[in-house]
Amino acid sequence: MPMLDGLEDAGRIVGRQEHATQKLIKGFMEGREPNAIAAFICESMISLAQNIDAQNAKGREISRNMTSLLGYVQQLQSIYEDSPDDGDDELAELVKDSKA
């Protein structure tokens, strides 16, 4: 049965980890053009965060999912590491020089 627009997640509680992950993605991707790999990683991060919240609510162990989530964060950083977008040109130059 079709859903009304905007009600797909009605009644669903967004947990702490999912909220933090959404905030991290939004902040990190601001001003950056997402490619297919980055989009996949971001969606995977949200799914893992949802699983972590569900496992936490049930008192289950989360270390494997946290390790995976952190791995995705590092992969996302590595995709964009050659193009720092922090607004600090001097810092960008230092990063560039340190890699040379």
Side-chain angles (χ1 to χ4, degrees):
M1 180 170 192
M3 256 315 149
L4 295 175
D5 285 340
L7 294 180
E8 298 84 12
D9 291 331
R12 189 174 78 78
I13 297 172
V14 176
R16 292 173 61 186
Q17 189 64 53
E18 183 180 358
H19 179 72
T21 301
Q22 289 173 346
K23 188 175 177 180
L24 179 140
I25 290 169
K26 182 180 178 186
F28 183 82
M29 293 304 294
E30 190 173 316
R32 292 184 166 104
E33 186 66 33
N35 61 29
I37 294 172
F40 171 80
I41 288 171
C42 290
E43 289 299 323
S44 297
M45 289 169 61
I46 295 294
S47 293
L48 280 166
Q50 290 169 347
N51 287 337
I52 290 166
D53 286 332
Q55 289 170 329
N56 269 333
K58 294 178 182 178
R60 294 196 178 146
E61 187 272 331
I62 62 166
S63 65
R64 284 188 221 159
N65 279 338
M66 280 302 294
T67 299
S68 295
L69 181 58
L70 293 173
Y72 277 133
V73 169
Q74 291 171 338
Q75 286 180 323
L76 191 59
Q77 286 177 313
S78 71
I79 290 172
Y80 295 101
E81 72 182 1
D82 290 336
S83 58
D85 187 29
D86 54 17
D88 188 339
D89 293 333
E90 186 177 340
L91 179 60
E93 283 298 315
L94 288 172
V95 170
K96 182 180 170 185
D97 292 343
S98 71
K99 291 182 180 182

